[in-house]
Amino acid sequence: GENVEQHPSTLSVQEGDSAVIKCTYSDSASNYFPWYKQELGKRPQLIIDIRSNVGEKKDQRIAVTLNKTAKHFSLHITETQPEDSAVYFCALPSSGSARQLTFGSGTQLTVLP
Amino acid sequence: DAGVIQSPRHEVTEMGQEVTLRCKPISGHNSLFWYRQTMMRGLELLIYFNNNVPIDDSGMPEDRFSAKMPNASFSTLKIQPSEPRDSAVYFCASSFGGSMNTEAFFGQGTRLTVV
């Protein structure tokens, strides 16, 4: 499957500060870059995604940026709130005909009040 | 639509027993995925079906694991015999389209404990 590396594995920020999580990948053919959020004890849910024809996408306090040359994409959360505390996963479709979704190792974000 | 439905939500079984996990994908979705989540290994794709046909089962850990999709609205993941190291949360997800360039919707998961 696709090789995707996610950093950091844990991240603590003060409420109101920004958080940035980064994923790097190896397959230059990748063209879809989603981010999922998993709250404790719940299922992963898509929060934002970007396709390779744009470099940035925003949705209120969250944004995703894509650098295809450097092969990395990042999740940005501004004005963090306690309810942002969760595990965040980047994901990539694999190369080849199967196109299964491979997830990064996850980032545990803790927003401190 | 009620979303992806998995059953049971929790399963505790003894080592050596057969375990069957069930999934009902979202109506109209033609791709179905089984994932396993553990602290050590994160979210691992076990098997992927497209139009009820298994496309990639390279993630199935060993022969003790098997999955079926007899029709568009039902899939099972079976472990026989189960072992303590199979303890994990098993997620089923579905999406529309032949690739994963669209959103994957996850079920609530089945927490399996093998003692």
Side-chain angles (χ1 to χ4, degrees):
Chain A
E2 173 59 69
N3 184 30
V4 55
E5 293 189 5
Q6 182 172 345
H7 299 281
S9 57
T10 61
L11 179 60
S12 293
V13 299
Q14 289 294 136
E15 184 176 355
D17 287 350
S18 295
V20 181
I21 304 168
K22 182 177 177 179
C23 279
T24 58
Y25 61 97
S26 56
D27 183 1
S28 58
S30 296
N31 58 12
Y32 175 65
F33 307 89
W35 284 92
Y36 284 75
K37 175 183 181 182
Q38 186 178 24
E39 296 178 356
L40 185 63
K42 300 199 175 172
R43 75 190 88 184
Q45 291 186 288
L46 180 74
I47 55 171
I48 193 167
D49 57 15
I50 192 170
R51 299 184 190 274
S52 58
N53 56 342
V54 296
E56 183 178 10
K57 182 178 178 181
K58 286 184 178 180
D59 183 2
Q60 299 182 345
R61 296 186 298 105
I62 61 172
V64 56
T65 58
L66 171 64
N67 185 328
K68 289 212 74 179
T69 302
K71 296 182 186 176
H72 64 72
F73 59 112
S74 299
L75 177 70
H76 304 254
I77 307 174
T78 59
E79 301 173 33
T80 53
Q81 300 169 5
E83 55 263 36
D84 295 329
S85 296
V87 179
Y88 292 82
F89 295 94
C90 63
L92 280 177
S94 301
S95 57
S97 59
R99 306 290 291 173
Q100 62 265 34
L101 201 60
T102 299
F103 284 86
S105 53
T107 298
Q108 173 67 63
L109 173 65
T110 303
V111 179
L112 305 170
Chain B
D1 197 310
V4 176
I5 299 173
Q6 290 186 247
S7 64
R9 291 290 309 278
H10 302 274
E11 176 79 33
V12 180
T13 191
E14 291 186 346
M15 181 174 63
Q17 296 298 305
E18 177 181 296
V19 175
T20 299
L21 311 182
R22 297 173 175 79
C23 176
K24 180 181 186 308
I26 291 174
S27 177
H29 283 189
N30 60 353
S31 293
L32 183 141
F33 309 83
W34 282 100
Y35 286 89
R36 178 172 67 177
Q37 186 174 36
T38 61
M39 288 292 294
M40 291 297 294
R41 301 176 68 90
L43 266 170
E44 301 174 277
L45 178 68
L46 299 177
I47 188 168
Y48 158 46
F49 291 88
N50 184 242
N51 293 323
N52 311 340
V53 177
I55 303 300
D56 185 351
D57 65 355
S58 60
M60 297 286 263
E62 47 198 277
D63 292 345
R64 298 184 298 107
F65 286 68
S66 62
K68 293 182 180 180
M69 192 165 185
N71 57 62
S73 59
F74 184 63
S75 177
T76 60
L77 177 67
K78 185 178 293 186
I79 308 173
Q80 167 61 21
S82 58
E83 297 182 3
R85 60 193 169 114
D86 301 330
S87 297
V89 179
Y90 290 81
F91 285 103
C92 174
S94 71
S95 69
F96 176 73
S99 71
M100 285 226 69
N101 284 359
T102 58
E103 180 176 358
F105 292 83
F106 283 76
Q108 299 224 31
T110 295
R111 181 173 295 277
L112 174 64
T113 304
V114 183
V115 298

